[in-house]
Amino acid sequence: MPDKIVVAGVPVDTRHWIGGRRVASGDTFADHSPIDGRLIGEIARGGPAEARAAVAAARDAFPSWAATSRSERARLLHAVADGVEKRIEELAIVETTDNGALLRSHRRGVMPRVAHNFRFFADWLLTLEHDDFETRGHTNHVSWDPAGPAVLITPWNAPLMLATWKVAPALAAGNTVVLKPAEWSPLTASLLADIAAEAGLPAGVLNVVQGYGAEIGDALTSHPDVRRISFTGSVPTARRIAGSAAANLTPLSLELGGKSPLLVFADADLDLAVDLAVEQYDNAGQVCLAATRILVEESVAEEFTRRFVAKAGALVQGDPRDEATDIGPNIHPRQLEKIDGFVRRALAAGARAVIGGQRGDGQCYAPTLLTDVAQDSEIVQEEVFGPVLTLQTFAGEEEAVRLANDTRFGLAATLATGDPERAARVGARLVAGTVWVNCFFVRDLQAPFGGSRLSGVGREGGTWSFDFYCDLKNTVTAPKGWKDHG
């Protein structure tokens, strides 16, 4: 196995990054591009031995990193951000090749956001404080202490952005990190290791191990030296991770699936509502936050559908490297088969495809809208994670809220209405970690992010991230008892 491969002209190391050096494995796994199915390269396939080595490196580096001043940690995170910004074009083309998302989105939004993740948490660290308060004359002082090595397990749909959403606050908090990227999109995590090393991050502070979760995951999440675990992915995997971490009572942050609603009321700006609905096809529908259940008030459902079909029909599906493309391929043949299975079963159960309902070229799935779906049907209740939306109607607010909340999930909800009082009233009743009103995907890093019900455990963002990645300490000092040191 070559130590490096060249991806769209960019050299990428295929080995793990452990303790400040590259480490090979005896076995590999194949990484294929969803654009054309070709083999990109053979990637080091880690297992328990690599997991233990990475945790040991993080453990050994922790005391020094935890003792590093806030200002120095912040400086190094800004240096990592500088490195990301210098390599935005390289990161963008490698990630597009690896996961099939739009190159234009990576260039203009995703990779700049990666740099922003580091800068935001570096700056937030320097402002992190809680006012002292008194109890019967005693002073209470709250501090955020580094917790220890953190294992971060990240998904394939936005690999580097979602990885650094975890890596940046964990490092800012003074923790050391073992990052395990998804096996379907491992390449930009390897590039991040290079960037971090070039920025001067000490050896062992950031480690990257690659491989299949079933082979390496338990050794990471059950390790007694790991003090934090953050995972983004599926509910079944989260259950396994939680069980693995239970013996050590390792704190968990879990951002899981969604089956989010988009509620369109008759008083909404219908063109805006249609734009919001069509936006749910972003990244080929591979977005956990996507509002895949469109709920439309009966009186405007026909007009909404007409405008939606026209708007969605103008989308261009194809090569994600082409500037004109709006929807690229789904990431893996297994994912494509899963999406198609959901749709075929829905159609067999009586659903009607207003648009789409079939595979496209290569690993593409046609943007699909299904109607005539029952509330308790699989297609309404289970996460598809592809460009598949359902449309149902409601008669009024009560039914809208009931339908919106009638799933096991609670990650997000989107609401389109022209009435601010209705927006406040309905928004307050929706079970969701984030509610967008007349907008979608507006995310500020200082806001809490996470899900309710089976959509997750915990919140990250701003101070909430530090609350998770740190051990909070309260020091209570008596007003007397001091000796004269004069």
Side-chain angles (χ1 to χ4, degrees), residues 112-133:
R113 169 62 183 271
V114 168
H116 177 62
N117 284 345
F118 284 103
R119 296 201 192 281
F120 173 87
F121 286 107
D123 292 342
W124 199 267
L125 170 65
L126 299 180
T127 66
L128 190 65
E129 62 179 350
H130 190 292
D131 291 341
D132 289 352
F133 55 97

Side-chain angles (χ1 to χ4, degrees), residues 159-427:
L160 193 58
M161 192 274 283
L162 291 177
T164 56
W165 161 250
K166 301 176 187 294
V167 169
L171 294 179
N175 296 341
T176 51
V177 164
V178 178
L179 171 64
K180 193 279 182 193
E183 59 268 24
W184 287 352
S185 56
L187 300 182
T188 47
S190 181
L191 293 177
L192 177 64
D194 294 336
I195 292 170
E198 291 164 7
L201 208 65
V205 172
L206 172 66
N207 306 275
V208 179
V209 290
Q210 302 145 164
Y212 295 114
E215 296 176 352
I216 196 172
D218 183 66
L220 289 172
T221 57
S222 65
H223 200 294
D225 291 334
V226 171
R227 293 316 311 143
R228 293 294 185 273
I229 299 170
S230 181
F231 168 73
T232 298
S234 71
V235 172
T237 302
R239 288 191 171 114
R240 289 195 294 272
I241 290 172
S244 181
N248 302 309
L249 296 180
T250 308
L252 295 165
S253 176
L254 304 173
E255 196 266 279
L256 309 177
K259 196 66 179 176
S260 302
L262 164 57
L263 288 74
V264 179
F265 287 92
D267 57 16
D269 177 332
L270 273 195
D271 286 332
L272 171 62
V274 167
D275 287 346
L276 293 174
V278 173
E279 192 176 349
Q280 308 311 311
Y281 291 130
D282 182 50
N283 200 22
Q286 298 168 142
V287 178
C288 58
L289 294 162
T292 56
R293 295 183 296 129
I294 303 175
L295 308 174
V296 185
E297 195 161 1
E298 290 173 352
S299 61
V300 295
E302 184 176 345
E303 179 62 16
F304 173 90
T305 304
R306 185 187 67 78
R307 297 189 197 185
F308 177 93
V309 169
K311 182 87 175 179
L315 295 173
V316 176
Q317 188 166 33
D319 191 323
R321 297 166 295 190
D322 189 330
E323 280 282 316
T325 298
D326 299 305
I327 303 178
N330 291 95
I331 191 166
H332 194 276
R334 288 212 322 253
Q335 185 65 18
L336 186 67
E337 185 63 33
K338 175 185 172 186
I339 294 165
D340 190 45
F342 270 110
V343 174
R344 284 187 285 106
R345 290 190 298 273
L347 294 174
R352 180 173 66 91
V354 178
I355 59 170
Q358 71 282 326
R359 300 179 190 226
D361 295 331
Q363 283 180 207
C364 291
Y365 200 87
T368 296
L369 178 66
L370 300 177
T371 61
D372 300 334
V373 292
Q375 179 62 21
D376 62 354
S377 64
E378 178 192 57
I379 197 66
V380 169
Q381 294 295 326
E382 299 298 329
E383 185 177 42
V384 177
F385 222 61
V388 178
L389 310 179
T390 60
L391 189 148
Q392 298 166 271
T393 62
F394 60 85
E397 271 186 31
E398 282 299 318
E399 186 178 16
V401 171
R402 179 180 62 78
L403 292 173
N405 287 340
D406 186 20
T407 76
R408 301 176 300 151
F409 299 102
L411 188 55
T414 304
L415 174 60
T417 177
D419 184 346
E421 293 183 358
R422 167 176 278 153
R425 189 169 59 242
V426 172

